[in-house]
Structures are given as C-alpha cells and as structure tokens.
C-alpha cells in the first residue's frame, strides 16, 4: 500500500500518463481500502502534506488509468472486483513459485471464477494483460 501511495502522491503518474504499474504477487483485496483512504487524504490534506499541483485529481483516477492488480488466489478481492476495477485486474500463475496455485492453477481458477460472466473472466485471464502490455493479440 505504501508504494502505491508513493507512486500516486509523487505525481509520477500525472507526469507520465502512459506509464503502467503492475502489482504482482500482492493480490487485490487491499486495493479498495487503499484507494478510499488515498482519496480521503487527497481531499482533506491537499496543499499541506503534498504538492496539490502534483496530483490534481483524486488518486483513484490514476489507479484506474494506470495500475493493475495481479492475483493468483484472492477470493475476497474477487468478491469486491467491481470496487477494484474489472479493467485493472489480471490473473497470474507465478509458475513454478511455491506460493502459487501451481500445479493446480486451472482447477483453482475455475473454482474462483465460478459465478463471473464470460466477459469479466476474459478480461481477468487475457484481455487486461493484452491491453496493459500493448500486445498485438486478439
């Protein structure tokens, strides 16, 4: 959370609007709270704790535009995916790292994604990564 606040409140994302950040191995359930808190700090202490001109819009604006949350097992995050942002989430396998779902990734993913619509699943497992990385794939 601290590094995301640093990226946002430093103004780097404002100065570099095409820069993309991917938070890998951090899951995503913490994102809604972090953005709620960052927006609150931005509103309440602008001009006192940081340069108000460096971050002219609420922090959640920059998250939605430039940051991706990567996860491999986060049921809480999936329950709150609309607060995280369906367009800001990617599924990771972290193969063959021991803190991962390997070698049962397919089964774990199918269970986690049950109840999600096909468009959301596509974005999570493929579409958002293609967009984030500017890949020439369909």
């Amino acid at each position: 959370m601290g590094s995301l606040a640093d990226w946002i409140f430093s103004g780097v994302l404002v100065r570099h609007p095409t820069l993309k950040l991917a938070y890998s191995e951090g899951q995503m359930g913490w994102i809604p709270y972090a953005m709620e808190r960052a927006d609150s700090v931005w509103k309440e202490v602008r001009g006192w704790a940081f340069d108000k001109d460096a971050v002219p819009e609420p922090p959640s604006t920059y998250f939605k535009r430039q940051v991706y949350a990567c996860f491999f097992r986060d049921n809480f995050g999936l329950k709150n995916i609309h607060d995280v942002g369906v367009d800001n989430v990617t599924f990771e396998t972290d193969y063959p790292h021991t803190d991962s779902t390997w070698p049962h990734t397919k089964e774990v993913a199918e269970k986690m994604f049950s109840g999600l619509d096909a468009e959301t699943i596509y974005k999570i497992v493929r579409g958002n990564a293609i967009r984030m990385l500017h890949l020439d794939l369909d």
Side-chain angles (χ1 to χ4, degrees):
M1 274 195 255
S3 70
L4 181 56
D6 287 345
W7 276 105
I8 290 174
F9 286 110
S10 70
V12 170
L13 299 179
V14 176
R15 293 190 308 274
H16 302 280
T18 60
L19 177 68
K20 303 293 184 202
L21 302 176
Y23 274 81
S24 301
E25 296 189 28
Q27 310 312 319
M28 65 177 166
W30 58 275
I31 300 285
Y33 168 74
M35 288 299 88
E36 177 184 292
R37 182 69 182 131
D39 283 354
S40 177
V41 167
W42 177 85
K43 181 180 178 184
E44 294 172 7
V45 296
R46 280 180 63 180
W48 175 71
F50 60 93
D51 180 1
K52 65 181 178 181
D53 296 325
V55 187
E57 298 179 73
S60 57
T61 304
Y62 307 106
F63 178 86
K64 290 174 188 170
R65 183 176 77 193
Q66 295 172 254
V67 183
Y68 292 82
C70 307
F71 76 101
F72 55 86
R73 185 176 296 159
D74 188 347
N75 291 317
F76 181 81
L78 281 171
K79 288 177 188 172
N80 296 283
I81 194 167
H82 293 289
D83 291 325
V84 176
V86 174
D87 294 326
N88 297 81
V89 173
T90 63
F91 183 69
E92 62 182 316
T93 60
D94 207 14
Y95 169 84
H97 191 244
T98 55
D99 184 20
S100 71
T101 57
W102 180 80
H104 307 287
T105 302
K106 183 178 180 191
E107 294 84 9
V108 170
E110 287 172 345
K111 185 176 179 182
M112 278 192 307
F113 300 159
S114 67
L116 296 177
D117 61 86
E119 180 182 0
T120 299
I121 294 171
Y122 175 81
K123 286 181 176 186
I124 291 170
V125 300
R126 185 172 168 88
N128 292 340
I130 290 169
R131 186 171 40 84
M132 173 181 65
L133 299 170
H134 304 283
L135 300 176
D136 188 18
L137 301 171
D138 290 296

